[in-house]
């Protein structure tokens, strides 16, 4: 994410904004808002340190066969469904038909992936039980 924010900085996204003057009426180039840039970068660094090992551990558990690893294999598609369903308000540029179609496509693909992963886990679990019985 640091690269993302560095690109945003280069594009002029992290500029201090004077709220007393309208956005399109800004007379002079604005100084870089280093505090905004650094706070976002540090937040992502801390999140990476905390969630990186946890998600690595979840990935290891997802490799477990049968139903025991199913919950961890479903983690990414379920997060995609939630992310595409619960959008934060205020992004008016993302309210168009293309964005809605994209969100719907991602939700459908994630739901199909969840179904396929569940069917496969059930299939391998039942097949393993049949092999053990014989």
């Amino acid at each position: 994410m640091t690269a993302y924010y560095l690109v945003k900085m280069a594009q002029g996204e992290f500029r201090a904004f004077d709220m007393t003057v309208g956005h399109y009426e800004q007379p002079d180039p604005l100084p870089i808002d280093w505090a905004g840039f650094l706070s976002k970068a540090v937040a992502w660094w801390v999140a990476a340190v905390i969630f990186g090992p946890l998600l690595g551990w979840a990935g290891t558990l997802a490799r477990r066969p049968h139903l025991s690893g199913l919950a961890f294999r479903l983690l990414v598609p379920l997060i995609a469904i939630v992310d595409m369903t619960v959008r934060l308000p205020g992004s008016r540029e993302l309210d168009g038909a293309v964005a809605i179609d994209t969100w719907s496509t991602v939700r459908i693909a994630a739901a199909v992936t969840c179904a396929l992963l569940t069917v496969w886990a059930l299939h391998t679990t039942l097949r393993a039980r049949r092999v053990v019985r014989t």
Side-chain angles (χ1 to χ4, degrees):
M1 288 309 279
T2 302
Y4 170 80
Y5 287 113
L6 287 173
V7 169
K8 288 293 219 180
M9 170 98 61
Q11 293 174 344
E13 292 286 326
F14 282 96
R15 299 286 179 184
F17 183 69
D18 184 5
M19 297 303 284
T20 61
V21 180
H23 179 65
Y24 297 106
E25 302 167 6
Q26 196 68 41
D28 300 321
L30 298 169
I32 292 174
D33 181 15
W34 285 102
F37 169 74
L38 291 176
S39 67
K40 289 185 182 356
V42 168
W44 279 108
W45 294 336
V46 169
V49 167
I50 293 170
F51 291 112
L54 292 174
L55 291 174
W57 180 60
T60 299
L61 294 175
R63 297 186 68 176
R64 293 168 57 188
H66 315 307
L67 290 175
S68 59
L70 178 62
F72 297 101
R73 286 192 293 272
L74 293 176
L75 188 61
V76 170
L78 289 176
I79 288 172
I81 290 171
V82 169
D83 186 38
M84 294 297 111
T85 303
V86 183
R87 301 301 300 177
L88 294 175
S91 49
R92 297 219 183 270
E93 69 276 359
L94 298 178
D95 289 344
V98 173
I100 292 171
D101 291 344
T102 302
W103 295 340
S104 298
T105 302
V106 169
R107 278 193 295 260
I108 291 167
V112 168
T113 301
C114 287
L116 290 173
L117 287 171
T118 303
V119 167
W120 183 253
L122 289 171
H123 169 72
T124 57
T125 300
L126 293 174
R127 189 176 66 186
R129 287 184 183 170
R130 275 188 253 144
V131 168
V132 170
R133 288 185 190 163
T134 54

